[in-house]
Amino acid sequence: MRTRLTIVLGAFVLHVGVFYFTASRAGISDTSFEVIPVLVASLLFGVRGGLNSSLSTMTLHVILFATIGALTFDRLSHILFPEGVATIAVGVLAGLARDFSIAHGADGERLRQLFAATSDAIILFDAETKRFVDSNGAALRLFGFSR
């Protein structure tokens, strides 16, 4: 769950950072609230939900601006890139995080059994803390260590 939340927040920060950076350079003032439903759909329905929601958001933006007569080429290009691309990235990344979390949560015990039983040396390293988390028996034998 913590990894999923980290990826979702990272995707949101990426979206807002890319969107606001390019929007400010182009002189466009807008908000990034459209990403909230994309995140919700991604967390509820995975990659498909995130992708469908982000494409729907882009389509609704085009329809909205066309309806009120404010759809210009500049506005359309802004909806498609960078905002659209960033929104799609957020939806897909958050959906992948959800799908990955569900897939590995359900198979956690099976993966632990494979980890312990394999004859290949496996060492798990935490990149954040720069510490070794675990190793299997084959790794211990290979390097001459014991638990």
Side-chain angles (χ1 to χ4, degrees):
M1 181 66 177
R2 187 173 147 205
T3 303
R4 184 185 338 172
L5 181 62
T6 302
I7 292 173
V8 168
L9 291 176
F12 182 76
V13 168
L14 174 70
H15 172 78
V16 171
V18 169
F19 174 75
Y20 279 124
F21 175 75
T22 53
S24 65
R25 292 192 63 140
I28 300 168
S29 175
D30 211 342
T31 62
S32 274
F33 289 118
E34 73 274 355
V35 78
I36 293 171
V38 173
L39 285 173
V40 170
S42 299
L43 292 175
L44 292 176
F45 306 109
V47 173
R48 287 183 182 172
L51 189 58
N52 287 335
S53 179
S54 57
L55 292 173
S56 299
T57 298
M58 290 171 51
T59 304
L60 289 172
H61 273 96
V62 171
I63 292 169
L64 171 72
F65 287 115
T67 302
I68 62 172
L71 186 63
T72 63
F73 179 75
D74 288 340
R75 173 74 67 183
L76 181 61
S77 62
H78 175 71
I79 290 170
L80 298 177
F81 180 83
E83 184 181 343
V85 172
T87 303
I88 290 171
V90 166
V92 169
L93 287 174
L96 282 172
R98 177 217 181 246
D99 292 348
F100 181 82
S101 176
I102 288 173
H104 291 288
D107 292 335
E109 183 57 35
R110 190 171 134 231
L111 289 174
R112 278 186 282 284
Q113 290 172 353
L114 288 172
F115 176 77
T118 186
S119 60
D120 293 324
I122 300 174
I123 299 172
L124 299 178
F125 182 76
D126 186 344
E128 283 181 12
T129 63
K130 310 282 191 264
R131 295 179 146 211
F132 291 102
V133 177
D134 199 3
S135 61
N136 66 353
L140 294 175
R141 286 188 299 280
L142 178 67
F143 296 108
F145 292 111
S146 64
R147 291 218 184 254

